[in-house]
């Protein structure tokens, strides 16, 4: 079976996939690779390729999906399957770019927890999951990674390239999945990606926002397992 490489969202550790790691690693090698050490998508993708197996399936959520676009652009022959979760292939809009500098200044001043609480986590979850343990989890992951990672990831997202041409070139089994209440990367964006990737399946997870893998793990895992089985079949036949 193909090994699976999993890439996190912004300011997320492996805990983002805590509901997936057990079920998905039961029958295959699973490698979680953090998005640290560089402040641009190109170098982050190159680092992933240095650490990943020779052939692998690749799953990325949000910023992880943005880096995954660049991974498959750089080495399409190595990526045998792609799962794009709650993500965005477009370059960052100017109005979002303008919000980055004040956030970075606040984090430099020691306000990472406040930035996560005020600016980030309110956009992460469906309406019925706005409070409680999941918000605490996101703050905890961010504090574990720290100020420097927030700054470098913010710069990488701000300066990322448009990857629509990359999407149109993808030939491997591709899962495009998002929460139906994702405000950061809405359903319409994933429908657009689905139209661009011929070998893709679109999955909309009910009662979930931007972090569907945490909010609705059973639904998410069912879609991921089906995608991986398709990847294994296509890889074995190649």
């Amino acid at each position: 079976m193909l090994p699976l490489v999993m890439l996190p969202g912004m300011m997320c550790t492996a805990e983002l996939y805590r509901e997936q790691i057990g079920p998905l690693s039961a029958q295959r090698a699973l490698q979680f690779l953090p998005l640290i050490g560089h402040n641009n998508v190109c170098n982050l993708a190159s680092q992933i390729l240095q650490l990943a197996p020779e052939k692998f399936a690749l799953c990325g959520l949000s910023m992880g999906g943005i880096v995954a676009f660049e991974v498959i652009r750089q080495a399409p022959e190595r990526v045998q399957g792609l799962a794009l979760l709650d993500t965005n292939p477009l370059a960052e809009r100017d109005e979002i770019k303008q919000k980055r500098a004040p956030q970075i200044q606040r984090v430099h001043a020691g306000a990472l927890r406040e930035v996560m609480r005020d600016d980030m986590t309110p956009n992460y979850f469906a309406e019925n999951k706005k409070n409680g343990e999941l918000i605490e989890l996101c703050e905890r992951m961010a504090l574990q990674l720290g100020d420097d990672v927030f700054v470098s990831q913010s710069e990488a997202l701000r300066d990322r390239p448009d990857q629509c041409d990359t999407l149109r070139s993808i030939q491997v089994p591709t899962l495009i999945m998002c929460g139906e209440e994702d405000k950061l990367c809405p359903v319409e964006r994933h429908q657009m990606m689905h139209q661009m990737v011929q070998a893709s399946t679109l999955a909309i997870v009910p009662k979930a926002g931007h972090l569907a893998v945490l909010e609705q793990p059973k639904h998410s895992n069912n879609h991921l397992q089906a995608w991986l089985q398709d990847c294994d079949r296509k890889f074995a036949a190649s």
Side-chain angles (χ1 to χ4, degrees):
M1 291 185 174
L2 279 167
L4 173 63
V5 173
M6 305 190 82
L7 308 181
M10 182 182 183
M11 298 308 287
C12 291
T13 68
E15 279 197 274
L16 172 67
Y17 294 119
R18 65 184 186 180
E19 304 291 345
Q20 287 72 51
I21 288 173
L24 298 185
S25 65
Q27 294 181 314
R28 73 183 67 244
L30 190 153
Q31 186 176 16
F32 173 86
L33 294 177
L35 305 179
I36 59 176
H38 299 281
N39 70 342
N40 66 83
V41 167
C42 182
N43 287 348
L44 285 168
S46 296
Q47 178 173 271
I48 297 302
L49 287 165
Q50 290 173 6
L51 298 171
E54 182 59 29
K55 304 279 187 178
F56 58 97
L58 179 62
C59 172
L61 185 148
S62 193
M63 183 177 180
I66 289 168
V67 175
F69 297 136
E70 180 64 16
V71 170
I72 198 167
R73 189 197 70 81
Q74 291 185 17
E77 73 285 354
R78 292 180 59 187
V79 180
Q80 302 298 303
L82 187 62
L84 301 169
L85 316 182
D86 299 281
T87 193
N88 182 2
L90 304 179
E92 188 155 87
R93 303 194 313 271
D94 288 341
E95 58 265 33
I96 304 300
K97 287 183 179 182
Q98 292 172 4
K99 296 179 181 179
R100 297 283 184 193
Q103 289 176 345
I104 289 172
Q105 290 174 357
R106 291 173 64 196
V107 169
H108 277 314
L112 175 58
R113 184 189 296 273
E114 289 74 19
V115 169
M116 293 300 300
R117 181 194 63 211
D118 299 340
D119 297 355
M120 311 299 281
T121 60
N123 297 310
Y124 283 177
F125 300 109
E127 288 300 321
N128 65 332
K129 295 181 182 290
K130 285 277 188 180
N131 299 302
E133 190 266 340
L134 291 181
I135 289 177
E136 293 176 3
L137 168 63
C138 290
E139 291 183 0
R140 183 170 69 248
M141 290 190 292
L143 292 173
Q144 287 173 0
L145 291 171
D147 298 356
D148 290 344
V149 172
F150 182 93
V151 173
S152 63
Q153 290 188 348
S154 296
E155 292 171 346
L157 290 171
R158 179 194 65 197
D159 301 332
R160 69 182 185 262
D162 181 283
Q163 295 280 13
C164 289
D165 286 344
T166 301
L167 278 170
R168 295 185 184 98
S169 71
I170 293 171
Q171 301 295 323
V172 296
T174 301
L175 171 65
I176 298 171
M177 184 175 82
C178 73
E180 67 175 350
E181 298 181 43
D182 190 337
K183 297 176 181 177
L184 293 175
C185 301
V187 170
E188 292 78 11
R189 193 65 44 79
H190 295 78
Q191 292 170 332
M192 178 191 75
M193 289 191 283
H194 176 49
Q195 293 173 354
M196 290 180 179
V197 183
Q198 292 184 354
S200 67
T201 299
L202 178 65
I204 310 301
V205 180
K207 298 180 181 180
H210 189 57
L211 302 183
V213 294
L214 282 172
E215 295 173 272
Q216 296 292 347
K218 183 176 180 180
H219 282 284
S220 299
N221 290 355
N222 286 342
H223 290 303
L224 288 165
Q225 292 280 23
W227 163 69
L228 284 167
Q229 290 171 5
D230 191 25
C231 293
D232 288 336
R233 285 194 298 268
K234 297 288 177 60
F235 182 64
S238 64

